[in-house]
Amino acid sequence: MKINKITSAQVAKLAGVSQSAVSRVFTPGASVSIKTTKKVKEAALSLGYRPNSIARAMVSGKSRMIGVVVAYLENQFYPEALERLSNCLQEKGYHVLIFMAGKDRQSIDNVIEEILDYQVDGIIAASVSMSSGLSERCRAAGVPMVLFNRAQDDPNMSAITSDNIEGGKKIAKFLISSGHKKISYIAGWEGASTQRDREAGFISILNDAGLSLHSRKVGNFVFEDSREATRSMFFNNTPEAVFVANDHMAFAVMDTLRYELGLKIPDDVSVVGYDDVPAASWPSYLLTTVQQPVNIMVRETVEILIEKIENPEARPQKIKVDGPLILRKSAKIHKGN
Amino acid sequence: MKINKITSAQVAKLAGVSQSAVSRVFTPGASVSIKTTKKVKEAALSLGYRPNSIARAMVSGKSRMIGVVVAYLENQFYPEALERLSNCLQEKGYHVLIFMAGKDRQSIDNVIEEILDYQVDGIIAASVSMSSGLSERCRAAGVPMVLFNRAQDDPNMSAITSDNIEGGKKIAKFLISSGHKKISYIAGWEGASTQRDREAGFISILNDAGLSLHSRKVGNFVFEDSREATRSMFFNNTPEAVFVANDHMAFAVMDTLRYELGLKIPDDVSVVGYDDVPAASWPSYLLTTVQQPVNIMVRETVEILIEKIENPEARPQKIKVDGPLILRKSAKIHKGN
DNA sequence: AATACATTTGCAAGCGTATGCAATATTTAT
DNA sequence: ATAAATATTGCATACGCTTGCAAATGTATT
């Protein structure tokens, strides 16, 4: 088994040109005549030559790799986002170096250092919050970073989210207008900006209408936690409607309501989620939810990151993408009289 | 904004040693005295130095990156596998360069070339089948590859799967022993070895018992296709039990049966899936299914790949991991009399 | 104290490519 | 046909690191 490491020098020899010529043929925008281009391409093809990305990264300082940090893939929202991110980046000639982060700070710190070691051109952090020390570290290393689906106060950090406050408001308005009075909330992990914003928007409208939260429990974005939250929330003084901070938890809530507590959705309780993951439209759930427009969010994320890579002076941006409320069957539309 | 590129040379100067000494301090197993180690570590820390992985890869020829090719992340089985793969590899000091492949050959070919450009030390192909030309290409490049959850006849290709034939058999035995006679099958994408093996095992036992498939439709591993398959399968001559080639499709089948066709599961029909993804245990489904032991499969995959990286002479292996049948509520256990 | 032996160190040569610069070839204008 | 401007080419260097080799230092043995 002989291993085949073709270098530009070998191609050059075969084509009867200099190594630089070969390099230039594979460098868009470089100055080469059509004649040499042709000779080189032929030689390259016959030897099976392709430029070595690592060597390229070494000298140019650009690896064309983007580090993507993800915390957990169980919530369907993230695989979908990851798939789109990867595709979108691939189209622009970048590739994804993926890292799983634990929840704790330490783990994230380590992960970022490892990412930096690979000289990535940029970092996308999905559903992860950054210590300001870390973002400082990235800035010092000259590696731009953008947050996906998490916002941060830090003014030099770009972040793309859906408009979670507005989304929370939409849900509150919808629930109120369809006649619900006793309205509860099941929260996600309290450290997440998405959680806080959704709740804040939701409550602000409740308050405007002279209502306040009927009850509140925490599901931590975790399936089992949300089941437990549901049990204790419905132990007595049952609400008429529950807004659950994301779809993934909403499924747990619906399942518990139906199969453990014997309640009908939406006749006995209305349930609303957030995200519009694929399963939200499965017949078992038909979940009324606010859609996070993944494709738009991804496109914006990639655009902002690349802009920042190409022009380090680019100002950081916070983008909020508006998402529609998708009406399905898990929440009553008009409260009967 | 000044960018901070600390090199080993700078550390060396500060520590008053040679650049090689610095390199050795960061190379496990190299010969350095404790004294210089200490000096260098201090200097490195104060400057914030970390070795540049790209430069390292360049000279050593080992990038410590593994290319992972995935076709689609919608089926929950894959995000889970990906997460575990990434973690397992991270533990061993490798990192994952991820690539999304389209279904078509061309797209996969391109993707593999791109992966190879990055000088990865190995490739894991999940749920993707390889043309023999491609595997030849990787072998020529000296990059070992292992297939995850797909088998291939090619004898020099390592592959890890669950024992799909055995799994199919288990399901058939179970369905027969619980009294079902009219037994149908909804197939996955016909190009997949997993699909073929599950079906083959399943049918072999049916035949042994003097039964044959009552009906058969194709769901292609796709949710909507599986709904359509269900409709046409249940249009008339309804089966008593259906084995669906994976859980993801089984959810579609169950939903269609219940909410469109008004059938009770398992009273009117038994449904069995394959994979045991998280949602299989959600109260809405409680799906009886064969578990694919992801963690074992992942561990084996990583082990075999690394073995092959460290010792290129290592023989290719085909591993089949046995998985248990998980009994839940979607299939009747004893057929009434 | 002198020898043999093991450990630690620095030197220098790459790894495969991109690119500034000077030299050469080609085109255009006069 | 000649000068001037432009396009193409090769040379040589640099990117940040690892590693073989020989020199230098340290330790054990007699």
Side-chain angles (χ1 to χ4, degrees):
Chain A
M1 185 207 312
K2 48 156 203 280
I3 288 175
N4 227 8
K5 286 280 175 203
I6 308 297
T7 71
S8 55
Q10 301 176 41
V11 177
K13 186 150 53 142
L14 179 59
V17 297
S18 72
Q19 180 269 324
S20 338
V22 177
S23 170
R24 284 192 253 260
V25 168
F26 289 94
T27 306
S31 162
V32 235
S33 67
I34 359 177
K35 199 165 25 162
T36 43
T37 301
K38 190 160 155 291
K39 282 192 293 184
V40 168
K41 286 233 160 134
E42 270 169 18
L45 200 63
S46 83
L47 293 178
Y49 169 78
R50 305 194 104 223
N52 178 328
S53 300
I54 295 285
R56 211 166 226 197
M58 166 106 235
V59 45
S60 69
K62 316 263 82 190
S63 65
R64 302 204 71 88
M65 295 193 295
I66 303 292
V68 174
V69 191
V70 188
Y72 60 121
L73 255 23
E74 194 175 349
N75 175 355
Q76 265 192 91
F77 179 74
Y78 290 105
E80 201 181 341
L82 178 59
E83 183 167 348
R84 297 242 168 95
L85 270 172
S86 170
N87 283 328
C88 192
L89 253 7
Q90 255 170 267
E91 273 168 27
K92 313 236 178 194
Y94 286 89
H95 292 104
V96 172
L97 200 52
I98 200 176
F99 292 77
M100 297 292 159
K103 320 272 161 187
D104 57 306
R105 272 284 142 74
Q106 184 54 46
S107 136
I108 298 191
D109 282 33
N110 290 340
V111 158
I112 295 281
E113 290 295 349
E114 286 183 31
I115 295 189
L116 258 20
D117 292 348
Y118 275 93
Q119 315 296 114
V120 295
D121 294 344
I123 296 180
I124 296 174
S127 76
V128 169
S129 35
M130 291 291 130
S131 67
S132 62
L134 265 196
S135 63
E136 183 43 51
R137 182 88 181 70
C138 293
R139 208 165 313 122
V143 179
M145 167 152 84
V146 5
L147 265 30
F148 178 88
N149 205 33
R150 279 291 180 286
Q152 198 106 347
D153 285 336
D154 184 342
N156 344 47
M157 182 92 79
S158 291
I160 284 76
T161 58
S162 71
D163 192 336
N164 290 297
I165 298 191
E166 194 50 46
K169 288 185 180 175
K170 282 181 189 170
I171 293 175
K173 285 177 193 158
F174 162 69
L175 252 19
I176 293 172
S177 79
S178 46
H180 302 87
K181 300 281 182 216
K182 293 154 74 174
I183 302 178
S184 295
Y185 179 66
I186 293 185
W189 177 59
E190 309 252 22
S193 66
T194 43
Q195 141 61 31
R196 288 194 302 271
D197 289 352
R198 288 168 199 177
E199 180 168 13
F202 187 66
I203 291 188
S204 79
I205 294 294
L206 251 40
N207 291 349
D208 288 358
L211 261 38
S212 64
L213 230 42
H214 179 253
S215 57
R216 177 186 194 276
K217 296 285 169 188
V218 178
N220 279 322
F221 293 144
V222 172
F223 197 88
E224 273 310 323
D225 291 12
S226 309
R227 298 198 62 183
E228 189 51 40
T230 311
R231 289 183 196 108
S232 70
M233 175 176 281
F234 284 78
F235 182 69
N236 57 17
N237 211 347
T238 295
E240 297 162 355
V242 197
F243 167 32
V244 189
N246 76 5
D247 287 358
H248 183 69
M249 295 193 296
F251 302 140
V253 172
M254 290 178 74
D255 277 7
T256 308
L257 255 21
R258 284 174 172 161
Y259 300 105
E260 206 175 306
L261 274 23
L263 297 175
K264 295 267 176 235
I265 298 170
D267 298 337
D268 299 326
V269 213
S270 290
V271 177
V272 179
Y274 207 109
D275 277 347
D276 196 29
V277 299
S281 64
W282 290 2
S284 277
Y285 297 108
L286 293 176
L287 182 62
T288 290
T289 190
V290 169
Q291 177 176 88
Q292 297 217 77
V294 192
N295 32 13
I296 302 181
M297 289 171 67
V298 164
R299 201 183 321 131
E300 292 281 1
T301 303
V302 170
E303 213 158 83
I304 289 177
L305 185 62
I306 291 184
E307 153 104 39
K308 189 103 172 200
I309 290 172
E310 287 169 354
N311 168 23
E313 307 303 329
R315 299 229 337 276
Q317 301 186 46
K318 312 262 189 216
I319 299 222
K320 296 184 175 191
V321 180
D322 193 49
L325 176 66
I326 309 285
L327 262 26
R328 285 193 272 249
K329 307 285 184 191
S330 69
K332 233 176 306 202
I333 296 194
H334 290 296
K335 189 79 172 185
N337 45 303
Chain B
M1 187 205 314
K2 49 154 199 286
I3 288 173
N4 228 7
K5 287 280 176 204
I6 308 295
T7 71
S8 55
Q10 300 175 41
V11 177
K13 187 151 53 144
L14 180 58
V17 297
S18 74
Q19 181 269 326
S20 339
V22 177
S23 171
R24 285 191 252 260
V25 168
F26 288 94
T27 307
S31 162
V32 234
S33 67
I34 356 178
K35 198 163 30 159
T36 44
T37 301
K38 190 159 156 292
K39 280 192 295 184
V40 168
K41 286 232 159 135
E42 269 169 19
L45 199 63
S46 84
L47 293 178
Y49 169 78
R50 306 195 103 223
N52 178 328
S53 299
I54 295 285
R56 208 168 230 195
M58 168 105 234
V59 44
S60 69
K62 316 263 83 190
S63 65
R64 302 204 71 87
M65 295 193 295
I66 302 294
V68 174
V69 191
V70 187
Y72 60 121
L73 256 22
E74 193 173 350
N75 175 354
Q76 265 191 92
F77 179 74
Y78 290 106
E80 201 181 342
L82 178 59
E83 183 166 349
R84 296 243 167 92
L85 270 172
S86 169
N87 283 328
C88 192
L89 252 9
Q90 255 170 267
E91 274 168 26
K92 312 236 179 193
Y94 286 89
H95 292 105
V96 171
L97 201 51
I98 200 175
F99 292 77
M100 296 292 159
K103 320 273 161 185
D104 58 305
R105 271 286 142 73
Q106 185 53 48
S107 135
I108 298 192
D109 282 33
N110 290 339
V111 158
I112 294 280
E113 291 295 350
E114 286 183 31
I115 295 189
L116 258 19
D117 292 347
Y118 275 94
Q119 314 298 112
V120 295
D121 293 345
I123 296 180
I124 295 174
S127 77
V128 170
S129 34
M130 291 291 132
S131 67
S132 61
L134 264 196
S135 63
E136 183 42 54
R137 182 87 180 74
C138 292
R139 208 166 313 123
V143 179
M145 167 152 85
V146 5
L147 264 31
F148 178 87
N149 205 33
R150 274 301 121 90
Q152 198 105 346
D153 285 336
D154 184 342
N156 349 42
M157 181 93 78
S158 292
I160 284 77
T161 59
S162 69
D163 192 336
N164 291 297
I165 298 191
E166 194 50 47
K169 289 185 180 176
K170 282 182 189 169
I171 293 174
K173 286 177 192 158
F174 162 71
L175 252 18
I176 293 172
S177 79
S178 45
H180 302 87
K181 299 283 183 215
K182 294 155 74 174
I183 302 179
S184 295
Y185 178 66
I186 293 185
W189 178 59
E190 309 253 21
S193 66
T194 42
Q195 140 61 32
R196 287 194 303 270
D197 289 352
R198 287 167 198 177
E199 181 167 12
F202 187 65
I203 290 187
S204 78
I205 293 295
L206 250 39
N207 290 349
D208 288 358
L211 261 38
S212 65
L213 229 42
H214 179 254
S215 56
R216 178 187 194 275
K217 295 288 168 187
V218 179
N220 279 321
F221 293 144
V222 172
F223 197 89
E224 272 310 323
D225 291 12
S226 309
R227 298 198 62 183
E228 189 51 40
T230 310
R231 289 184 198 109
S232 69
M233 175 176 280
F234 284 79
F235 182 69
N236 58 15
N237 211 347
T238 296
E240 297 162 356
V242 197
F243 167 31
V244 189
N246 76 6
D247 287 357
H248 184 68
M249 293 193 298
F251 301 140
V253 172
M254 291 178 75
D255 277 6
T256 308
L257 256 22
R258 283 173 172 161
Y259 300 105
E260 207 174 305
L261 273 24
L263 297 174
K264 294 266 178 235
I265 299 169
D267 298 337
D268 300 326
V269 213
S270 289
V271 177
V272 180
Y274 207 109
D275 277 348
D276 197 28
V277 299
S281 65
W282 289 2
S284 278
Y285 298 108
L286 293 176
L287 181 62
T288 290
T289 190
V290 169
Q291 178 176 87
Q292 297 218 76
V294 192
N295 31 13
I296 301 181
M297 291 171 65
V298 164
R299 203 184 319 130
E300 291 281 2
T301 303
V302 170
E303 215 158 80
I304 289 177
L305 185 63
I306 292 184
E307 154 103 38
K308 188 101 171 202
I309 290 172
E310 288 170 355
N311 167 24
E313 306 304 327
R315 298 228 339 276
Q317 302 186 46
K318 312 261 190 217
I319 298 222
K320 296 185 176 189
V321 181
D322 193 50
L325 176 68
I326 308 286
L327 262 26
R328 284 193 273 249
K329 307 285 185 190
S330 68
K332 233 177 305 202
I333 296 196
H334 290 297
K335 189 79 171 187
N337 44 305

